[in-house]
Amino acid sequence: MASRHDHCCVPLCKNDSRYNKDISFHSIPKDGDLRRQWIHAIRRDPGPDFKISLSTKVCSVHFNAHDLKKSIVGRRLLRNGAIPRYFTWTQDKTERKPPKIRHIDTEVSMNVDSNNESSADMSVVAPYPDHDYMCKETNVLPVEQQLKAALEYIADLERENNRLKSLQFTVNRFTNDPDMMAFYTGFQSYELFYSTFLCLEPTCSRLITWSQLQKQKPGDTHEMRDVIKNETLCPIDQFFLFLCRCKCGLFEKDLAVRFNISVSTVSRIIITWVNYLYHILGAQSIWPTREQINQSMPDCFKESYPNTRVILNCTELKCQTPSSVYLNSQRYSHYKSHTTFKGLIGITPSGAVSFVSQLYSGSISDVDITAQCGIITLIESNDDVMADKGFTIHDLLSKKGATLNIPPFFTENCSEFTKKQVQTQSIASVRIHVERAIRRVNDFHIFDSVVPLRFAGTLNQIWTVCALLTNFRGPLF
């Protein structure tokens, strides 16, 4: 078996037991406090590139002579509590000598006298000095004027700084522009946006980001929450960035340029905030009571359908075609002639969103999605549910003692307006409001293009958050 060779683990130290027989090598102690002092002294933190083992040694060159002792057999040992102290970075460096001061006369006088001729004084100007401090200062302003000029320069810099800050793409830029606030966020004014953020602030200040969650270890929750204080964007601008992504459909690279951050940071902010808002807004009760429905019911419903509790309709979001034939058949919608995700929305007669289902495969029918999404459990006896022709859910509602109002199916060979046709027009005139509510959801332009399958993990949260945010735009009437 080959003999073991010891090497010193201290950075910049090349001592080796093969070439330095007079140097002893000592293992890093196992004691917790003393071990940490050794690691701090040698400036090497344990990690992927440095792992402490029995073969990790520090040579005796780094110890004081009083820290070493010899055993009975002549081996060199360390005394208890010894800590390495001498390293390359602790040695005194030789100070550089200051440059010699060269005395240069700026003017040399020479007297010229030849053959009893008249003498003349000639003044010869010395060469230009090597250093600017050798020049004589001329036209020096008084201290008061220098101070005044400095203050004016500082004021100019502050004005320029404020001008550049006003051009930064942050929410503060649009505090006095309601139109731009509505364009970028969907909120009708900055006051409404800020009031909403104030409601979120107590919890978002303790928010755990997506990147922190990926690195989470048991017992590290408190430390992870402290890291958010070092984020590049403050929480209100992160909220603004998320709304810009949803409302305007801006690409992540575009947002990275606007906010002067990396694309990966934009992606992490969006994932963090969509999951955060999904839990915060989803925890709020948006299903109104019968009394609340009656108080806000418009006149057009009071006259014809006073017992209406909810108006139902489905909408579909186009998604990327999967490579799997089975998934393609499950998500293909004949109505859109494309693979889609399908969701159900319920609104109150006043136009507020009162129910948002999760997203289902595009091939699911209106009846199946109504039965599976859970809205039937919210319906009470004597409630009226209004929907389109595809919602043939009489059996589901009859078990709850509720009534379904849908346009009747048209019969052929009718030469006059029948009672069913008049009923169809009556239902359509009030059911159109659910289309207006869905149009508000579709105003979030993140749904304009075909949704990539890589967004499938957060698409359901984005859909729910966008639908719930439409309630902040106020009533339809």
Side-chain angles (χ1 to χ4, degrees):
M1 180 181 295
S3 61
R4 187 186 66 185
H5 301 296
D6 292 325
H7 311 270
C8 183
C9 67
V10 175
L12 304 179
C13 182
K14 300 181 179 179
N15 289 333
D16 192 298
S17 62
R18 292 174 294 178
Y19 314 114
N20 300 278
K21 303 298 183 181
D22 298 331
I23 298 176
S24 59
F25 293 83
H26 307 277
S27 299
I28 296 177
K30 297 181 180 180
D31 178 66
D33 292 336
L34 188 59
R35 185 188 187 94
R36 283 192 291 271
Q37 294 180 29
W38 275 49
I39 293 173
H40 177 73
I42 67 175
R43 295 186 178 181
R44 296 199 70 176
D45 294 328
D49 300 327
F50 179 67
K51 296 182 179 179
I52 300 175
S53 64
L54 295 176
S55 61
T56 306
K57 307 283 186 176
V58 177
C59 68
S60 58
V61 173
H62 305 291
F63 293 91
N64 193 306
H66 300 290
D67 294 334
L68 300 171
K69 63 179 182 180
K70 284 190 176 181
S71 65
I72 298 176
V73 297
R75 291 184 59 189
R76 188 178 297 176
L77 304 176
L78 288 177
R79 298 184 185 275
N80 293 334
I83 300 173
R85 304 178 185 276
Y86 301 105
F87 306 98
T88 305
W89 54 86
T90 60
Q91 296 177 359
D92 296 333
K93 296 182 180 179
T94 304
E95 296 185 358
R96 182 180 177 183
K97 295 182 179 180
K100 295 181 179 180
I101 300 177
R102 292 180 289 179
H103 300 282
I104 300 177
D105 296 331
T106 58
E107 195 174 274
V108 179
S109 297
M110 300 178 62
N111 293 328
V112 180
D113 188 3
S114 175
N115 298 326
N116 295 326
E117 294 180 358
S118 60
S119 298
D121 292 337
M122 300 182 63
S123 179
V124 180
V125 179
Y128 191 79
D130 292 339
H131 305 283
D132 55 0
Y133 55 78
M134 297 297 296
C135 300
K136 295 181 179 179
E137 296 184 358
T138 58
N139 300 326
V140 178
L141 296 176
V143 176
E144 293 79 4
Q145 294 185 13
Q146 293 183 23
L147 179 60
K148 182 179 179 181
L151 292 175
E152 291 178 353
Y153 182 66
I154 292 174
D156 292 339
L157 290 178
E158 289 179 349
R159 284 192 293 270
E160 180 67 13
N161 187 34
N162 293 332
R163 187 185 70 84
L164 293 176
K165 283 185 176 180
S166 65
L167 297 178
Q168 288 181 332
F169 194 80
T170 61
V171 69
N172 291 332
R173 182 177 176 179
F174 308 107
T175 54
N176 299 319
D177 195 340
D179 292 337
M180 297 305 294
M181 281 297 299
F183 176 77
Y184 282 112
T185 67
F187 288 90
Q188 302 305 304
S189 65
Y190 175 78
E191 289 73 17
L192 181 58
F193 169 85
Y194 188 66
S195 299
T196 305
F197 176 75
L198 288 180
C199 297
L200 299 172
E201 189 174 23
T203 51
C204 75
S205 61
R206 298 180 289 107
L207 188 63
I208 296 177
T209 64
W210 173 251
S211 58
Q212 290 172 317
L213 187 63
Q214 296 291 74
K215 302 175 183 178
Q216 184 179 9
K217 296 180 180 179
D220 290 347
T221 306
H222 179 70
E223 297 178 3
M224 291 164 55
R225 285 177 174 165
D226 292 340
V227 178
I228 193 171
K229 299 177 182 178
N230 299 323
E231 289 287 338
T232 305
L233 293 180
C234 60
I236 191 171
D237 284 330
Q238 294 184 23
F239 183 38
F240 178 64
L241 181 149
F242 169 75
L243 293 176
C244 290
R245 175 72 175 102
C246 294
K247 182 63 173 63
C248 299
L250 299 178
F251 292 109
E252 292 182 356
K253 183 173 290 188
D254 185 7
L255 291 170
V257 174
R258 291 173 185 261
F259 288 90
N260 195 26
I261 55 179
S262 65
V263 177
S264 59
T265 301
V266 172
S267 178
R268 288 194 294 266
I269 290 175
I270 291 173
I271 295 175
T272 298
W273 275 85
V274 70
N275 285 281
Y276 166 67
L277 292 175
Y278 177 76
H279 287 286
I280 295 297
L281 298 180
Q284 311 305 314
S285 177
I286 60 174
W287 184 259
T289 62
R290 180 75 260 178
E291 292 74 16
Q292 293 172 333
I293 292 288
N294 294 335
Q295 291 176 2
S296 60
M297 184 171 293
D299 294 335
C300 59
F301 279 90
K302 289 181 180 179
E303 295 174 358
S304 304
Y305 305 97
N307 294 327
T308 301
R309 187 69 179 272
V310 66
I311 308 170
L312 302 179
N313 202 0
C314 289
T315 187
E316 298 184 56
L317 310 176
K318 290 184 178 181
C319 68
Q320 181 182 356
T321 302
S323 57
S324 170
V325 177
Y326 174 75
L327 292 178
N328 188 27
S329 63
Q330 289 293 313
R331 294 178 183 173
Y332 187 80
S333 169
H334 293 279
Y335 179 71
K336 292 287 187 179
S337 298
H338 202 280
T339 51
T340 63
F341 289 107
K342 190 173 185 178
L344 181 141
I345 284 185
I347 71 166
T348 64
S350 62
V353 175
S354 59
F355 184 84
V356 183
S357 75
Q358 65 180 13
L359 293 174
Y360 295 84
S361 298
S363 62
I364 192 172
S365 65
D366 295 342
V367 177
D368 291 337
I369 196 173
T370 305
Q372 296 179 25
C373 69
I375 192 172
I376 299 298
T377 60
L378 301 175
I379 302 298
E380 299 176 354
S381 179
N382 298 324
D383 284 344
D384 285 356
V385 177
M386 187 172 291
D388 201 4
K389 289 182 178 180
F391 289 84
T392 54
I393 53 176
H394 301 86
D395 297 339
L396 298 176
L397 294 178
S398 61
K399 298 177 182 179
K400 302 288 293 187
T403 306
L404 176 65
N405 289 322
I406 61 174
F409 290 92
F410 183 74
T411 56
E412 298 180 356
N413 301 323
C414 293
S415 58
E416 297 180 357
F417 287 104
T418 63
K419 181 179 180 181
K420 289 186 177 182
Q421 291 172 324
V422 174
Q423 185 182 2
T424 299
Q425 184 177 5
S426 175
I427 294 176
S429 64
V430 292
R431 201 192 64 83
I432 191 64
H433 300 303
V434 74
E435 300 288 351
R436 295 171 59 195
I438 291 178
R439 192 179 303 118
R440 283 185 171 184
V441 179
N442 293 333
D443 281 344
F444 286 89
H445 297 289
I446 192 174
F447 301 126
D448 286 354
S449 58
V450 176
V451 179
L453 292 180
R454 60 188 177 91
F455 289 159
T458 57
L459 182 60
N460 191 68
Q461 292 92 312
I462 294 175
W463 149 259
T464 304
V465 169
C466 291
L468 295 178
L469 285 176
T470 59
N471 284 339
F472 291 90
R473 297 182 60 178
L476 290 173
F477 298 92

